[in-house]
Amino acid sequence: MARNKEGLVLLLDVGPTMHRALQEVKNVCTTLLRKKLVFHRSDEVGVVLFGTKETHNDLARELGGYKHVLVKHDIKVVDEETKDALENLPRGTAPGDFLDAIVVGLDMLIKRFGDTKAKQRLCLITDAQHLLRDPPQGTKEDQVDTIADQMKKHDIKMDCIVFRESGVQHNSVMDENDRLLYHFRDRSVAKVVQVDTPTALLGALKTRNVLPVTIFRGDLEVSSTFKIKVWAYKKTSEEKFPTLKKYSDKAPPSDQFASHEVKVDYEYKSILEPDTVVPPDQRIKGYLYGPQVVPISSAEWEAVKFKPEKGVKLLGFADRSSIPRSYFMKDVNSFVPEPGNTKAIVAVSALARAMQEMNKVAILRCVWRQNQANVAFGVLTPNISSVNNVPDSFYFNILPFAEDIRDFPFRSFSSLPPSSQPTEEQQEAADNLVKMLDLAPPGREEILRPDFTPNPMLERFYSYLDLKSKQPDANPPPLDSCLRRITEPDPDVINYRAPLIQNLGKSFELKENPKATAADGQAKKPEDPYAEKARAIEVLFPSTEKVGKIGDVNPVKDFEAMLAERSSSIWVQKAIEEMKKYTTNLVQNSLQGDYYEKALECFVALRKACIIEQEPEEYNQFVTKLYERLKKVDDVVKFFQLLSSKNVLLICKEEAPDSDVTEEMARSFFMKTEISSE
């Protein structure tokens, strides 16, 4: 087995106390297998159930014991059969012994992979509420030590997820079981997490393991004579959707070695001679500089680029309060001392603890690799470890340059007249709303912790991808209830606190503007006060009612609401078509450009949506056809020049892989509109 592949055994507790959670256990394990089918198709997975009525495993046959442990699926390359093993998990009738299950899973991995250097992992999901059987010899702690020794010998790791819903009363059995699981952690062979909600269970199991790859290895240069060996890793990084690729079905089904790849070739032709292909040595990139285009060759561009030396240098220290949290950009990196380097560990620890004591942060200049085209400036924040065998480290955040900062000043509420200030009643109502929706109430675990909250869009994507593989014409299913709790307020809390929300609506009651009159000069009738209160509540909790068309009041908002409605696969396409029609009408019916600003906002929203929904051709063809149809109208050409000045170009390949338009082609299209207008 290759080193970059993984062997995994799922150890799932199906005993009586786990019955209510079996659906969530199935969901999280199925998501793990779906991601392996996308990213790691060669990984091997086995499934072991414990707490079952039946007993079926090699150790029970060979040695006896190990009762109520069922090997549901042997370790094999992940496929549909592996997923089928998770369907209809049995409701076990016996108490589950997780130590027996761990030994069975360990035995399966050792027999399958032996002494190879393959990555091997156990994943245990249990509530650990049942009394474990006493071992034939020694204590349960001795048994854990024996198992941990074997895991270390074969380099096998384990993830332990303990799922207990809030309200479960702890007893001595649970305390003993928790102590045994944490003993695995203390032996450095396992990671243990405890969760109390189905949503947290979905996020507790890392369904896709990303290898820790350093972005920098070298010296943290404090001065020319004082350098600390450090490694830098990514601490947080946004998980992207898998890249959709173009595949061809022209290859014969019998050809097992067909790649089905689609190769795209581009030809550049002159506007003056449409039949003549322009070779690469006769093409050059240009940049708009006022009304002219300044050509710059690739050699000149390379000469202009700043090419600093690789390295990380300390520029100085600053008060932590002087760096606003809003200045942090991009991903977070972690600086750790070079592993095994005692001097580096001590130096990093001394520096981090001094900064922590003085409430300081460090400002660094970073060039991660040789010939890097840019320099990063950032802030280094101390991270003092609370675990004995984990050294102190730093967190690193990129800081903005002056050009990166967007300064939008707003008036302070304190500067407004008393009539515009909230009353005590209004302030109290708002305070009560914040308390009502507190995600970390006293005496309870925090809800929606980032560590245990999965991305609902990614989860929904993988679920739909799996469904489409079986039913090509299937529509997206409704959002799972666990994921809905991430995207919407808890309905139980909203219903329970309905009077409080109504009180908030009363406190901010809408009133008639006495200056507003009807068209016939008569004063407008005041609306139903209950309707006014309902509208105030609607601001806080928007309705999920479908928006069927784009209106004139706020077309961008209507368009985004239509995109958010995904009850069928045609709804996004309908939203795009509606926006195209509305935008076309704005451009055509604009008198001396009076609708151009509104049309520009619609173009920006449509372009953004087509990138997100991976429909670049919809936008590019729309813009191209609209221009070809209206290019002889002077005002319309001016509108396209406005698009160009605002950098609202055609969608190029760099923004959407499915686009057939290069960045050069996108810019040249608007250059063509400028030439034609002259």
Side-chain angles (χ1 to χ4, degrees), residues 216 218-230 311-317 335 343-344 346-352 354-355 362-365 380 394:
F216 174 81
D219 295 330
L220 169 57
E221 186 176 333
V222 179
S223 69
S224 58
T225 58
F226 180 27
K227 302 177 182 180
I228 306 173
K229 294 289 184 182
V230 295
V312 174
K313 293 185 178 182
L314 175 68
L315 301 181
F317 298 94
F335 274 70
K343 292 182 179 180
V346 173
V348 166
S349 179
L351 185 60
M355 290 167 59
I363 307 299
L364 301 186
R365 163 211 183 268
L380 205 63
F394 296 101

Side-chain angles (χ1 to χ4, degrees), residues 197-242:
T197 65
T199 303
L201 176 61
L202 278 178
L205 177 60
K206 301 303 179 186
T207 52
R208 183 186 174 208
N209 284 330
V210 180
L211 288 176
V213 178
T214 55
I215 60 172
F216 174 81
R217 296 188 186 189
D219 295 330
L220 169 57
E221 186 176 333
V222 179
S223 69
S224 58
T225 58
F226 180 27
K227 302 177 182 180
I228 306 173
K229 294 289 184 182
V230 295
W231 289 10
Y233 295 90
K234 282 189 179 295
K235 178 64 177 176
T236 62
S237 182
E238 181 185 0
E239 180 80 1
K240 305 287 187 180
F241 280 90

Side-chain angles (χ1 to χ4, degrees), residues 394-407:
F394 296 101
Y395 290 140
F396 178 80
N397 292 87
I398 300 290
L399 291 178
F401 292 102
E403 295 83 354
D404 304 323
I405 297 176
R406 304 292 182 262
D407 190 13

Side-chain angles (χ1 to χ4, degrees), residues 41-173:
R41 292 184 289 271
S42 299
D43 284 3
E44 300 185 20
V45 178
V47 180
V48 173
L49 309 180
F50 62 100
T52 57
K53 181 180 179 181
E54 302 86 358
T55 299
H56 180 75
N57 61 80
D58 288 347
L59 293 180
R61 288 192 298 269
E62 297 169 1
L63 305 175
Y66 300 97
K67 294 182 178 180
H68 310 298
V69 180
L70 171 68
V71 177
K72 186 74 179 294
H73 184 76
D74 289 320
I75 301 176
K76 296 178 182 177
V77 174
V78 61
D79 56 11
E80 288 296 323
E81 184 182 341
T82 313
K83 285 170 48 187
D84 292 342
L86 296 172
E87 294 293 335
N88 302 319
L89 291 177
R91 291 174 172 263
T93 58
D97 189 319
F98 61 79
L99 285 183
D100 280 353
I102 292 173
V103 174
V104 170
L106 184 62
D107 178 67
M108 291 171 64
L109 288 172
I110 294 174
K111 287 179 178 177
R112 175 66 183 87
F113 302 116
D115 294 327
T116 61
K117 295 298 182 181
K119 290 180 293 184
Q120 301 172 62
R121 182 163 60 109
L122 298 170
C123 178
L124 171 68
I125 302 180
T126 179
D127 59 5
Q129 293 193 34
H130 298 293
L131 182 66
L132 306 182
R133 67 178 180 84
D134 292 323
Q137 296 178 346
T139 63
K140 294 175 184 177
E141 286 77 7
D142 295 335
Q143 187 179 13
V144 170
D145 285 329
T146 303
I147 297 171
D149 290 340
Q150 287 297 312
M151 293 175 67
K152 280 191 173 183
K153 178 181 177 181
H154 295 276
D155 197 19
I156 298 174
K157 300 296 183 181
M158 180 168 62
D159 294 328
C160 302
I161 301 175
V162 181
F163 176 68
R164 295 190 190 121
E165 292 183 300
S166 57
V168 174
Q169 296 295 325
H170 269 257
N171 54 41
S172 59
V173 173

